Amino acid sequence: MGRLLDDAQIAAFDRDGVLAIEGFVGPEALAELRQRANDIVDAWEPTAAATVFTTEDQQRRSNDEFLSSGGRIWCFLEEGAVDAEGHLTRDKSLAVNKIGHAQHDLDDVFERFSYTDDLAGVASDIGLSDAVALQSMYIFKQPGIGGEVSCHQDVTFLYTDPLSVTGFWFAVEDATLDNGCLWAAPGRHRDPLRRQFRRRGDNDAGTEFVDLDPTPLPAAPDDLVPLEVPAGTLVVLDGRLPHWSDVNRSPKSRHAYTLHCISAGADYPDWNWLQRGEDMPLRRLDRSDR
Ligand code: FE2
């Protein structure tokens, strides 16, 4: 496979733990993905017990939908879109926080978008030549209510031994300071892993954070830099790089699609929150296993 990145880009990723590649995806592919995400929400019937997504420690609803979403397509709601009785306070098209976490393997449009030679090439260029696609999220970041994602390292949520998770974050729409763009701490991908998010046992026992290292995460936003990028940009994130995004207080949405990949050769413990059935093995980005 030919090289996708030049030496300067590879050196920048090694130095910073983050790399933005503008124009990685064309407008047609973005429009198709956006339409498909909207169609999935249209077809979805929210229930009273629908899952609210938040990364705040005490508020994460570790319910069955969340813990089984590693092998499904599920819609998660914004916290600000549900009243005390669990009813939606707005149309569902403006209430969904994200779609997750296996649409890259269960939906044709998401599959086509995810498994490309270009993306496999980028992964290979940064040292992940045996990348398998673990988790997909379509994030809506709704106007006015799109929630904050607190500062974290992706390796907290997707642990492998050795560490290998890499985030591929696609701007489906322009990401700006106003609508809640990503922020990151370049160079801090050499930091230690702070904590792990683990299943306690079976689904009913829920999940917990296990602290490993007391080094504080960078403070948001002071210790971070904003990654304002136009639609079509691919942002590659080292799994140890602390990153954050703010509430979207603007009238514009900020759709993004993320695909988290790990090394096929790394061990993926069964206490990771995200699991899928043995009938749905992870697949290689470069499609060499097909
Ligand atoms: Fe993340």
Side-chain angles (χ1 to χ4, degrees):
M1 185 171 294
R3 288 251 317 257
L4 261 290
L5 302 178
D6 61 31
D7 289 344
Q9 287 174 307
I10 293 170
F13 182 74
D14 187 53
R15 181 189 66 224
D16 298 335
V18 58
L19 178 70
I21 309 165
E22 284 193 25
F24 190 82
V25 183
E28 300 81 17
L30 293 180
E32 188 185 31
L33 196 75
R34 193 176 191 286
Q35 183 61 50
R36 184 66 194 130
N38 289 333
D39 290 347
I40 289 172
V41 174
D42 270 353
W44 176 63
E45 294 291 339
T47 63
T51 309
V52 173
F53 182 78
T54 166
T55 54
E56 295 304 314
D57 305 10
Q58 303 308 318
Q59 296 165 13
R60 182 185 287 271
R61 272 62 161 183
S62 292
N63 56 21
D64 286 351
E65 285 82 8
F66 179 67
L67 286 176
S68 64
S69 63
R72 296 165 62 187
I73 300 175
W74 191 260
C75 295
F76 297 87
L77 294 170
E78 283 291 349
E79 222 173 340
V82 182
D83 66 19
E85 276 99 51
H87 299 118
L88 291 188
T89 56
R90 64 196 69 210
D91 187 79
K92 65 180 179 181
S93 67
L94 293 173
V96 173
N97 168 290
K98 68 174 179 179
I99 302 170
H101 290 96
Q103 58 265 30
H104 60 294
D105 285 329
L106 296 173
D107 180 271
D108 289 347
V109 174
F110 278 91
E111 182 181 42
R112 266 202 309 281
F113 190 97
S114 305
Y115 293 91
T116 67
D117 290 344
D118 284 356
L119 189 59
V122 169
S124 175
D125 285 349
I126 58 165
L128 200 61
S129 56
D130 66 343
V132 288
L134 175 61
Q135 169 188 263
S136 49
M137 294 187 276
Y138 189 94
I139 302 159
F140 290 86
K141 205 71 152 177
Q142 301 282 4
I145 59 162
E148 176 183 358
V149 178
S150 55
C151 192
H152 67 279
Q153 299 171 291
D154 288 339
V155 283
T156 288
F157 299 97
L158 301 170
Y159 179 83
T160 62
D161 183 13
L163 298 177
S164 66
V165 67
T166 302
F168 298 100
W169 188 101
F170 300 87
V172 178
E173 299 177 319
D174 296 343
T176 67
L177 285 173
D178 287 340
N179 69 2
C181 67
L182 272 179
W183 295 61
R188 299 286 296 271
H189 59 307
R190 302 190 193 283
D191 279 17
L193 166 58
R194 308 312 198 286
R195 56 183 188 162
Q196 293 168 334
F197 183 65
R198 289 173 170 245
R199 286 179 185 242
R200 283 204 185 90
D202 58 29
N203 284 358
D204 294 341
T207 53
E208 63 185 348
F209 283 100
V210 176
D211 290 322
L212 300 176
D213 189 290
T215 309
L217 284 166
D222 295 358
D223 298 343
L224 305 169
V225 298
L227 301 169
E228 291 189 284
V229 294
T233 302
L234 166 64
V235 180
V236 187
L237 295 155
D238 184 292
R240 276 197 292 172
L241 186 80
H243 56 284
W244 170 78
S245 71
D246 201 357
V247 175
N248 179 5
R249 297 184 178 86
S250 83
K252 280 189 181 162
S253 57
R254 193 227 67 187
H255 290 199
Y257 175 60
T258 67
L259 190 66
H260 285 96
C261 294
I262 58 174
S263 162
D267 180 52
Y268 185 77
D270 58 10
W271 51 254
N272 271 305
W273 75 269
L274 185 143
Q275 299 290 338
R276 49 164 74 178
E278 296 197 350
D279 55 336
M280 230 180 121
L282 298 178
R283 297 187 297 163
R284 285 184 60 137
L285 261 195
D286 63 9
R287 293 176 276 193
S288 62
D289 55 359
R290 253 164 267 182

